[in-house]
Amino acid sequence: MAETHVLFVEDDDVIREATTLALERDGFEVTAVPDGLAGLEAFRARQPDLALLDVMVPGLDGVSLCRRIRDESTVPVIMLSARADAIDVVLGLEAGADDYVTKPFDGAVLTARMRAVLRRFRVAAVDGAPAGAGVLTFGDLEVDPEGMEVRRAGERIALTPTEMRLLLEFSAAPGTVLSRDRLLERVWDYDWGGDTRVVDVHVQRLRAKIGQERIETVRGFGYKLRG
């Protein structure tokens, strides 16, 4: 089986070298570069299976690089930030990142997050999606769980794997309020506590694509899909 290829963009030499060695020991193939422009070039030269991007890198910062990657690909992206400030987290997620990890990070936690996002990317179906139900219709929204396609007013909508998995989770239980913790567990594979900002930003991104009114916020509880 071919190794999972990771693009790692990090300007700190010590962190870049140490993390690269750790990931290689865990079975990943790593292309490590020190700046965003080199990262974009490496991404286009050989599209990786996952991109690991530090927020603060020279040339082209990590958030801008994430946007450029997302314009061209749905490859999973994890942002690395030396701060847990809301602005860093939200900017990275709004740019299209699937997850983020705060530095300094534990190598085992980083690897677990990477494997979780890769599982989301590679999944062919979602637990809980109605088996054999065919196309699900919610107003002008059509969701095909088996074909992994979504259409709004007849036009196909491009979703990232994480957005698709989130929508399928809602589609499996329309009208049911899903808590942020449940969505973290089901969509992000977090069986431990996680940052619910990840859920909130992805819901906002999904709303922008399928219609703001389609997913309702139930204050203090979570979200539900309107049937």
Side-chain angles (χ1 to χ4, degrees), residues 5 42-50 69 72-75 121:
H5 178 216
F43 173 82
R44 288 173 171 169
R46 180 186 170 197
Q47 187 171 101
D49 299 299
L50 182 146
I69 288 174
E72 302 176 17
S73 172
T74 60
V75 65
F121 186 75

Side-chain angles (χ1 to χ4, degrees), residues 1-8 20 23-24 27-33 39 41-52 75-77 114-115 117-118 121-122:
M1 183 177 178
E3 291 181 323
T4 298
H5 178 216
V6 177
L7 170 62
F8 180 33
T20 296
L23 292 176
E24 289 176 343
F28 294 98
E29 177 188 354
V30 182
T31 296
V33 296
E41 183 179 346
F43 173 82
R44 288 173 171 169
R46 180 186 170 197
Q47 187 171 101
D49 299 299
L50 182 146
L52 193 60
V75 65
V77 175
M114 292 169 61
R115 295 196 189 284
V117 77
L118 285 165
F121 186 75
R122 292 167 176 164

